[in-house]
């Protein structure tokens, strides 16, 4: 609560929404690019590296081997999709992070606004003035190190569970149906024999 109070006192209600516009301008395109590129890379992988399965529906799956191969394909494609999406939106992400951190360090303002940036465009201009376009990619390596395994886990898991959950559901419902049939048959046989 102390943090909430300090933000309100120093920046007013606007402090709670600082960086929202850049977040939306980078977050939405990131997910859009990531999903689109995952699908593109996955299809390209199947088309060129596994042409025997390209266009084969999941109903013709070759058991657990196909589930694991599909998960590996999705992991690779997810890593590449996340990497590419990160490269595309990183300049906006840099602006977002700078705007969110702006004013946090309590620069002495002598009663003036402690913020360094007046808005997104002002932040962009100042970053470019500081170090040119390359400054927009400052901190890219740690983000890539995070994006590669993140994309692999995210999309590998999606593929794995999308194939395993329906199979598990069918297995469970089949077992329950067989159990119900056995129970019904046992009850019918017992009733016919006069056993209660």
């Amino acid at each position: 609560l102390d943090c909430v109070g300090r933000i309100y006192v120093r920046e007013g209600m606007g402090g709670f929404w600082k960086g929202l516009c850049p977040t939306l301008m980078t977050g939405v395109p990131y997910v859009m690019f990531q999903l689109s590129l995952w699908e593109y890379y996955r299809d390209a992988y199947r088309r060129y590296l596994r042409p025997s399965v390209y266009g084969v529906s999941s109903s013709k799956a070759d058991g657990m081997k196909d589930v694991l191969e599909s998960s590996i394909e999705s992991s690779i494609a997810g890593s590449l999709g996340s990497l590419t999406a990160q490269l595309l939106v990183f300049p906006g992400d840099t602006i977002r992070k700078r705007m969110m951190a702006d004013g946090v360090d309590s620069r002495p303002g002598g009663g003036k606004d402690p913020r360094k940036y007046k808005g997104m465009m002002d932040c962009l201009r100042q970053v470019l003035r500081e170090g040119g376009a390359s400054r927009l990619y400052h901190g890219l390596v740690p983000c890539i190190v995070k994006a590669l395994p993140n994309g692999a886990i995210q999309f590998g898991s999606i593929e794995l569970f999308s194939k395993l959950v329906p199979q598990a559901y069918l297995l469970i419902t089949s077992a329950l149906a067989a159990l119900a049939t056995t129970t019904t048959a046992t009850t019918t046989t017992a009733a016919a024999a006069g056993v209660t």
Side-chain angles (χ1 to χ4, degrees), residues 121-171:
M121 294 309 294
D122 181 51
C123 183
L124 176 63
R125 275 191 290 276
Q126 288 189 45
V127 169
L128 290 173
R129 203 175 304 132
E130 283 174 19
S134 66
R135 191 72 174 164
L136 291 170
Y137 286 93
H138 185 74
L140 179 64
V141 173
C143 285
I144 288 174
V145 169
K146 179 187 87 168
L148 291 173
N150 184 28
I153 292 167
Q154 179 182 357
F155 290 101
S157 298
I158 288 171
E159 189 74 24
L160 181 68
F161 290 116
S162 71
K163 297 214 180 213
L164 288 182
V165 170
Q167 290 177 3
Y169 175 76
L170 289 174
L171 181 65

Side-chain angles (χ1 to χ4, degrees), residues 46-136:
R46 289 179 179 169
R47 186 178 304 121
Y48 299 113
L49 298 176
R50 286 188 62 208
S52 61
V53 298
Y54 183 70
V56 176
S57 68
S58 59
S59 62
K60 296 179 183 177
D62 194 30
M64 194 62 174
K65 182 181 176 192
D66 183 62
V67 170
L68 291 174
E69 286 177 357
S70 293
S71 295
I72 291 169
E73 290 168 3
S74 282
S75 292
I76 293 168
S79 287
L80 292 173
S82 293
L83 170 67
T84 309
Q86 192 69 45
L87 290 171
L88 292 170
V89 302
F90 199 79
D93 205 39
T94 299
I95 300 302
R96 174 186 70 85
K97 289 173 187 168
R98 283 182 172 238
M99 288 188 65
M100 288 177 74
D102 190 28
V104 173
D105 58 358
S106 301
R107 281 184 293 281
K112 298 177 186 172
D113 189 355
R115 290 179 285 190
K116 181 178 179 181
Y117 308 115
K118 294 180 179 113
M120 281 177 36
M121 294 309 294
D122 181 51
C123 183
L124 176 63
R125 275 191 290 276
Q126 288 189 45
V127 169
L128 290 173
R129 203 175 304 132
E130 283 174 19
S134 66
R135 191 72 174 164
L136 291 170

Side-chain angles (χ1 to χ4, degrees), residues 28-48:
V28 172
Y30 176 79
V31 173
M32 179 189 72
F33 287 134
Q34 184 189 36
L35 288 170
S36 300
L37 291 165
W38 162 69
E39 190 171 6
Y40 171 78
Y41 288 132
R42 186 193 60 191
D43 289 348
Y45 183 93
R46 289 179 179 169
R47 186 178 304 121
Y48 299 113

